[in-house]
């Protein structure tokens, strides 16, 4: 599987998290479309099927991540 560069993952996670924090899903069609594109891109870049799993996988691949800590996956 191809792996996205950490800088790309960092940018995707940051932008998705920002839009999600601003409740972009309730925004205009352009903002909602961008959120959907980011979610699909994160899923593709991490080889996952849903955005929540993609965010966890992406964060584990970023510099400084603690890959041995899978406590988020246990939920």
């Amino acid at each position: 599987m191809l792996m996205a560069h950490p800088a790309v993952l960092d940018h995707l996670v940051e932008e998705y998290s920002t839009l999600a924090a601003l409740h972009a899903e309730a925004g205009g069609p352009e903002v909602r479309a961008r959120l959907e594109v980011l979610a699909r891109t994160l899923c593709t870049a991490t080889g996952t099927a849903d955005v929540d799993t993609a965010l966890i996988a992406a964060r584990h691949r970023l510099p400084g991540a603690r890959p041995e800590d899978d406590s988020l996956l246990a939920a």
Side-chain angles (χ1 to χ4, degrees):
M1 176 174 86
L2 292 175
M3 304 259 296
H5 191 279
V8 172
L9 285 176
D10 186 44
H11 176 74
L12 291 170
V13 168
E14 182 69 28
E15 188 174 354
Y16 183 88
S17 298
T18 300
L19 288 176
L22 295 172
H23 303 287
E25 67 276 0
E30 290 177 2
V31 177
R32 286 194 312 269
R34 180 64 185 154
L35 193 63
E36 290 174 18
V37 167
L38 287 166
R40 284 194 312 270
T41 304
L42 277 163
C43 289
T44 300
T46 58
T48 58
D50 69 88
V51 72
D52 293 324
T53 305
L55 288 168
I56 292 168
R59 287 182 177 126
H60 275 276
R61 292 184 188 157
L62 294 176
R66 295 176 31 205
E68 69 278 356
D69 180 13
D70 63 352
S71 59
L72 292 176
L73 298 175

